[in-house]
Every structure is written in structure tokens, then in C-alpha cells.
Amino acid sequence: MRRLLATLAFIAVPPALAADWSWNLAKGFPVPPVPSDNPMSAAKAELGRYLFYDTRMSLNGKEACATCHQQSLAFTDGRAVAVGATGQSHSRSAMSLVNIAYAGALTWSNPQLKKLEDQALVPMYGDHPVELGLRDGDGFLARLRSDATYGALFQRAFPADADGFTVANVTKALASFERTIISARSPYDRYHYYRDDNAVSESAKRGEVLFFNQHIGCFRCHSGFNFSDATVNERNAGRPIEFHNTGLYNLPGLLSYPAPNVGIYEFTKAPADVGKFKTPTLRNIALTAPYMHDGSVPTLDAVLDHYSAGGRGHANPNKDSLIAGFTLSSQDRADLIAFLNTLTDQALIHDPAFSNPFSHRQIDARHDP
Amino acid sequence: MNYRTLAYSLLVLTGACSGLISAQEQPAPAATLTISGDLPRPLTLRDDDLAKMSRQTVSVTDSDGSNVEYEGVLLRDILKQAGAPFGKDLRGKALASYVLAKAKDGYAVVFTLGELDAAFGNEPVLIADKRDGKLLFGYQGPLRLVCPNDKAGARSVRMLETLEFVKLQK
């Protein structure tokens, strides 16, 4: 449909006037922030979708953004830690891209990386670790240019540019596509925002009350419509984001978390910031195992074990005071997990607007190491 | 017990036993608010009592930027009904009084009489049972506080169950 709209916009109006974007947001969802130098357009999002799935964007011609961000897994990869084009492992788990438009910080532990256009350069060109493995001047733009499909896509997306084939435009299009990946059609949304009492089970309803219970306190960090306190919208886009140490580790010495995953301390160098990571969204959480920044917690049940114990490394001096531990009955546990399962958005993972546009260029499932 | 009540009881009983009853057929949990403490007329109010009192609405901005309307009874009016000192009675030692609003999960916040009284803070703190015309449900309800002039939301207690009135100077 979006593709059709993009085509119609191209035909019906002069390209320079194709400001055709409407968020069409669900109840409870504010307008996300968008950088003024990259306003949303259907044509940019559509180009971004092609680029996101295009294996020509990688060193070995086999990887794409979608290798580590798979639609069926709510744009994660199912691995504890991601693996790049050269087989090098990332030190952290691939984050879900769901509702990334609302993220006040983009990665697990870099408080400075806030713009998707900038972040896209990291997997494209980064060395630590190598992800897509592109290099300056290695001709990936020429490879795209040789495909007639891209001639039309770039022209529609960047009609004012004499030559739209630039790295900056690639990152603008990728960011525009990523901002469209909004999850708002889960059973929980139907229950909570659209008041459909039959959308979720009674167990899930009890689980919701437990989730928002003061003593358990999940909602204190997993807050708001996106179940993450690292969430912003167009009205508060610049606000500071809190990062949290959840007591996952407690190694002796200053670096109480295993290097290189030391949290925002890597950037701030403040000892109190060791082990502080971003609160990820819980939307589609049942699809995004294993959990935590390093994928070291395999299941939702194990996540509840970690938090109910007040943290696996519960004596970490930087641990957030909210991680105090709690007691759950087996029924409570089942109810909480039933609630978390209601955040799975089947419409999102089957939406053609977010799917691979290349019928002949399938993304390889990563070989196991 | 008339036939309608009996039929309803059987429906609920059957549903409880079989688990087949749908959520929409189940009665909403009854709202009950207990007002206790140093008061002349401690009260327990049910949803039908609240429905008969002077109803107010307040409009607040939701997280998506839209306006939502909460409907209910002013905290001040409920405390007045229980005999808390307001107006000409709110002077001297009475000004050293507060109400502790407690939720089902033990969360609790304090309001002073001074901030609620019309001649002082005049805060329109509401005990709401409806949001946009629909009964509060799930983790929000059946009753919650709404503090429309608070900048932060932490005093807008969800799952409100009791108001405990404390007179510090007697």
C-alpha cells in the first residue's frame, strides 16, 4: 500500500512537492521526533526498505541490515550476540528496531548516539566489530547505481538532488524506513487502548496489574506506551535519557561488568556509570530472546528469576535501587509472562510494508559458528 | 432473590467454574473507597455512592498529546462528606492535617487540607472512576486519583483504595 501511495505521489504531483507523509498513529502513540534535515516521505521509506534488505550493502554480498534485524523476530536475530560479515562477533545483542523512532538513545550503552542517520554508519563502516564491512570507495554505491530499480527509487526519494546516490542519502532513507517500523497492533493495544476485553486472557490482565504493582515495579523503567523510559516524542525529543545498572554482574574492582560491556561508563568514564545500559522496549519481547545487552539470559522465565532475586549480581554497588527483588507465586509468574506475551504484534511481523522487497535476493540465515 | 438476580448469580457461578464466560460478561470489580482516621464520620463509598455525588471532569494531556477527560468526585468533596474541616473550619490546628491516599499495592501519597481547600491551594484533585466516559479498568482502576496541576504524575495514584485522614495537632 505504501509502495502504491509512493507511486501515486510520484505520478500525481511534481516531485518537489511530494510531502506525502502521514503517521496515521494508533491511540496512545505520540508523534515521534524526526530530524529537520530528513523529513519523512513515503518514497524515502520505500528506498530505505530496499536498502535495508539489500545484500549489496555488505563486504561479502551476503549480509544486510536485515541479517541481524529480522522482521519475524521483531527485528532482532535470535542470537545472544550479533555476528558480522566477516564472522566477527559483536559484544552485544542486536537490539530490536521496533518503535526505534521513539528511542531517545539508540544503542545499549552509547548516550551520545541519538540519530538514526548517524547510527546507520556504524554497522555499514564500523571496525569494532566489523558488521556489514563496507569500506570507503569500495563501490557499493556503483553497485546500486547499476540496478535500474534504484534509479527510480533514489529519484523519487531525493528529487532535488542531481545525483541522489550518496552515502548521506542512503542513511537518510534507511533512517526513514526504520522510523516507520511502529508496533501498535498487539493484543495489549486492543485491550488497553481500544478497550477490547476479549483481546487478552484473564491471566494476562492479572499480569498487567502485577507489572504495574509498586513492589514488583517493572513499570518504573519499562514505562509508558513503549514500555521503556528511554522513549521520547516530538515534544520532548532532547530530554536526557536514564541508563540503569540492573545488577546483572558484580565482578570485583572498578569494572564490575565484564569488558567491553561496561555500560555508559565507556563514554562518561564516571565510575558510577559502570554497568548502566538502556531500558529496551518490551514490545514484542517474547520474540526477542535471548535477553539483556549480552544475551546472557535465555528466557522470559529466567528474566523474572534475575529481577525477583534483586539481580543476578545483586550486590553491584551501582545497582539501581529499584532492583530490590520480590516474591512471585507460580501463578504470578505465569500471569506476568502471559501479559508480556500480549505485547507480541503479529501484524507487525507480517506487514508487507516492512518485508523484504527482493523476491530473488533472499537474506541468508546466518550460519551458526 | 428475584429470578433476574438468581439467573445472574448462576451465570457468574457457571462462568467461574467453567472459565468460559467472556470478560465483557463479567461485572467490573466494584469500586470501594474507605475513608478513615481522625474524622467525625468515617465512610465507605461504593461506585453507586460516587455516582450520586457532585461529579466533576478534568482534562489532562495524555502521553500521545491528546486530551483525555477523567470524571469523578473531587477529593475535597469526599473528605467534606466524612467531616474533614474545610472553609471556615480550616484554621489553626486543623491546618496541620493531611490525607494519606493508599493504593491496593501499598503505594501511598499525601495531600494536605490546605492544598485542597478553595481558599488556599484550591487544587481540583479528583477521585476518578471514568476516563473518556468509560469505567477505569485494569491496573488503573477501578478508582484513581488525578492531579491535573501536578507536573509529575506520581501522585495520581492508581488502584486507589483508602483515604486515611491524620490530624497532627489535636
Side-chain angles (χ1 to χ4, degrees):
Chain A
M1 184 62 185
R2 182 163 293 136
R3 199 170 171 185
L4 176 65
L5 286 174
T7 310
L8 288 174
F10 180 60
I11 294 166
V13 298
L17 298 178
D20 58 349
W21 187 255
S22 167
W23 281 107
N24 195 22
L25 294 161
K27 266 189 201 173
F29 281 64
V31 177
V34 175
S36 57
D37 63 353
N38 189 23
M40 291 296 292
S41 80
K44 268 190 276 191
E46 182 64 347
L47 169 60
R49 181 166 76 107
Y50 275 76
L51 295 169
F52 187 86
Y53 283 97
D54 198 326
T55 53
R56 286 170 290 192
M57 291 276 292
S58 65
L59 168 74
N60 61 4
K62 293 181 178 173
E63 318 280 326
C65 305
T67 306
C68 296
H69 299 288
Q70 299 167 20
Q71 184 180 13
S72 61
L73 298 175
F75 297 93
T76 60
D77 62 359
R79 296 171 153 270
V81 293
V83 178
T86 60
Q88 189 179 7
S89 286
H90 202 296
S91 58
R92 287 182 286 277
S93 187
M95 297 199 87
S96 173
L97 296 182
V98 165
N99 296 344
I100 197 71
Y102 296 104
L106 293 172
T107 66
W108 281 110
S109 59
N110 185 345
Q112 293 148 10
L113 198 47
K114 297 184 170 206
K115 206 174 159 188
L116 283 166
E117 289 80 354
D118 299 337
Q119 198 278 335
L121 295 169
V122 177
M124 285 169 69
Y125 292 104
D127 282 334
H128 305 291
V130 173
E131 296 185 52
L132 294 170
L134 295 177
R135 291 287 173 275
D136 278 343
D138 69 359
F140 93 92
L141 285 172
R143 291 197 291 275
L144 300 184
R145 196 192 294 273
S146 67
D147 183 336
T149 307
Y150 275 116
L153 287 167
F154 271 92
Q155 207 282 326
R156 282 175 212 155
F158 300 101
D161 292 7
D163 177 10
F165 285 87
T166 65
V167 171
N169 282 350
V170 166
T171 62
K172 283 181 176 179
L174 283 169
S176 297
F177 170 63
E178 289 170 315
R179 291 190 178 102
T180 67
I181 304 173
I182 290 181
S183 177
R185 293 172 285 178
S186 68
Y188 180 75
D189 291 297
R190 295 202 296 279
Y191 167 64
H192 183 74
Y193 290 107
Y194 294 90
R195 198 61 182 99
D196 176 0
D197 259 348
N198 296 313
V200 305
S201 67
E202 292 305 310
S203 173
K205 289 176 191 174
R206 290 192 299 271
E208 185 208 24
V209 172
L210 290 168
F211 184 89
F212 287 94
N213 178 297
Q214 192 64 27
H215 301 300
I216 298 176
C218 314
F219 76 100
R220 300 287 294 272
C221 296
H222 294 285
S223 54
F225 71 96
N226 197 34
F227 297 93
S228 164
D229 61 3
T231 300
V232 296
N233 59 59
E234 67 168 359
R235 288 174 296 140
N236 64 8
R239 75 173 182 82
I241 299 302
E242 279 193 54
F243 293 75
H244 306 275
N245 178 321
T246 65
L248 198 60
Y249 298 96
N250 188 30
L251 304 180
L254 170 67
L255 297 182
S256 55
Y257 271 49
N261 296 326
V262 293
I264 60 170
Y265 170 81
E266 183 181 349
F267 297 92
T268 67
K269 299 301 175 196
D273 286 341
V274 172
K276 287 187 177 173
F277 291 89
K278 174 182 157 179
T279 310
T281 177
L282 295 186
R283 287 187 171 272
N284 304 286
I285 195 69
L287 300 175
T288 67
Y291 302 105
M292 309 300 171
H293 65 274
D294 56 359
S296 63
V297 180
T299 61
L300 288 175
D301 217 33
V303 170
L304 292 181
D305 286 341
H306 162 68
Y307 285 118
S308 60
R312 199 169 61 185
H314 60 87
N316 189 297
N318 293 341
K319 189 180 78 170
D320 197 304
S321 62
L322 295 170
I323 313 290
F326 46 80
T327 305
L328 292 178
S329 69
S330 58
Q331 184 66 57
D332 291 343
R333 182 178 283 262
D335 290 347
L336 266 171
I337 288 176
F339 163 68
L340 293 171
N341 274 296
T342 69
L343 297 171
T344 299
D345 182 350
Q346 293 291 336
L348 174 103
I349 63 173
H350 293 109
D351 193 333
F354 308 136
S355 68
N356 185 353
F358 298 103
S359 54
H360 64 286
R361 195 183 290 277
Q362 294 302 316
I363 304 296
D364 291 343
R366 285 261 355 137
H367 51 280
D368 282 323
Chain B
M1 181 181 280
N2 63 31
Y3 284 116
R4 182 178 291 180
T5 314
L6 177 65
Y8 183 71
S9 304
L10 286 173
L11 183 68
V12 171
L13 189 64
T14 311
C17 294
S18 67
L20 291 174
I21 193 165
S22 83
Q24 281 176 337
E25 288 164 328
Q26 287 179 352
T32 306
L33 181 66
T34 304
I35 304 105
S36 62
D38 305 326
L39 288 162
R41 299 185 295 276
L43 289 172
T44 297
L45 296 174
R46 293 176 53 85
D47 40 9
D48 47 350
D49 300 316
L50 292 168
K52 289 178 208 152
M53 295 181 71
S54 170
R55 307 280 294 179
Q56 307 282 330
T57 58
V58 296
S59 185
V60 298
T61 305
D62 208 10
S63 62
D64 63 359
S66 63
N67 281 333
V68 291
E69 277 205 341
Y70 283 97
E71 182 188 322
V73 179
L74 287 177
L75 172 59
R76 177 168 65 215
D77 289 349
I78 286 173
L79 292 172
K80 270 185 199 168
Q81 189 158 331
F86 280 103
K88 63 179 174 46
D89 297 327
L90 185 57
R91 58 197 178 104
K93 291 178 179 177
L95 275 164
S97 307
Y98 66 86
V99 59
L100 185 67
K102 271 190 185 168
K104 187 179 182 180
D105 61 1
Y107 186 64
V109 303
V110 157
F111 296 87
T112 66
L113 287 203
E115 64 184 312
L116 301 174
D117 187 89
F120 292 88
N122 195 27
E123 286 293 337
V125 177
L126 193 74
I127 294 178
D129 52 17
K130 287 185 178 173
R131 177 186 153 106
D132 286 339
K134 292 175 184 164
L135 289 172
L136 291 174
F137 67 103
Y139 73 93
Q140 297 216 346
L143 298 176
R144 70 168 300 165
L145 284 171
V146 180
C147 310
N149 295 331
D150 277 10
K151 289 187 175 67
R155 290 206 303 178
S156 293
V157 176
R158 304 175 274 101
M159 301 187 285
L160 179 70
E161 283 193 338
T162 63
L163 300 173
E164 190 181 333
F165 187 79
V166 179
K167 233 176 149 178
L168 290 173
Q169 296 183 355
K170 295 176 184 172

